[in-house]
Amino acid sequence: GQLKRRRCRYLHTGRACCQTVEVLLAALILVCSSVSGGSAGGYTGVPALGGIYCYQYGGAYSGFSGADGERAQQLDQRFYLLKLPSARAAMAVGGWLLAFPRVPILVGVLRIPWQFPAWLLIECTLDTVIAVGTVPALYCFFHSLLRVYNSSVCKAREQLYQSKGYQGFWCGLHGAEIAAGPRGCVAAVAYLLSAGLAVREYRAVHEQKQKPVQL
């Protein structure tokens, strides 16, 4: 009845919209980071076919055999291990950011801030910390990736693939990794906006509680 309508009304507020955007952006960041570190790469030898075949990019590439095949496999594995820490850290952050906004949404639907207005100040503090922490987190993410791409392992891997005419193995950021940057910046803006709306909501609730007769 009326209680249900009041709870659903929160989903139409500015804070709820910001929190929904935060969830969507976190999901996109999680996808981008999983693409960055989701494939181990590597070559698998198929002696019966007389070559080394790669399935990393959805097709079967031949052309490596013997020492070149073993070197390609080693370089792929080392390159993957170099990228793994930054990819896992990004996925952990993305997963946490995906879960966190759901708590304020649930709290708002249950109208807990009306009973406990201090929650809005806590939410404002957390949103501000996340927004400010997003900038150094993005810097560390890209700095780590660029360090991997500038490593001797990546350069040797790129040269080996180019010697066989394969494209797409260059030492540079790919689209999913680049896309994580602007999405993270937009997420930081959304958290700052959510923090400001939480402060405004706290003031409104405090003023209403000071005038119970008018309510």
Side-chain angles (χ1 to χ4, degrees), residues 112-137:
I112 293 179
W114 174 255
Q115 303 296 332
F116 185 61
W119 164 259
L120 293 169
L121 298 180
I122 297 175
E123 182 180 326
C124 173
T125 303
L126 293 175
D127 288 340
T128 304
V129 170
I130 294 174
V132 174
T134 300
V135 178

Side-chain angles (χ1 to χ4, degrees), residues 42-130:
Y43 274 69
T44 302
V46 187
L49 299 179
I52 301 296
Y53 291 80
C54 173
Y55 299 93
Q56 181 176 6
Y57 289 90
Y61 296 103
S62 63
F64 291 96
S65 61
D68 287 341
E70 294 179 359
R71 179 167 174 76
Q73 185 178 23
Q74 293 175 358
L75 290 174
D76 277 340
Q77 292 175 350
R78 292 174 62 187
F79 178 70
Y80 168 73
L81 292 176
L82 287 176
K83 289 185 66 177
L84 188 60
S86 59
R88 283 185 174 178
M91 285 188 286
V93 172
W96 188 84
L97 292 178
L98 182 62
F100 172 75
R102 300 179 183 181
V103 176
I105 291 176
L106 178 61
V107 169
V109 170
L110 297 177
R111 294 179 58 83
I112 293 179
W114 174 255
Q115 303 296 332
F116 185 61
W119 164 259
L120 293 169
L121 298 180
I122 297 175
E123 182 180 326
C124 173
T125 303
L126 293 175
D127 288 340
T128 304
V129 170
I130 294 174

Side-chain angles (χ1 to χ4, degrees), residues 157-167 169-170:
R157 178 175 178 267
E158 180 183 31
Q159 292 176 1
L160 181 60
Y161 281 118
Q162 287 182 349
S163 67
K164 298 297 182 178
Y166 297 145
Q167 304 296 324
F169 297 89
W170 56 82

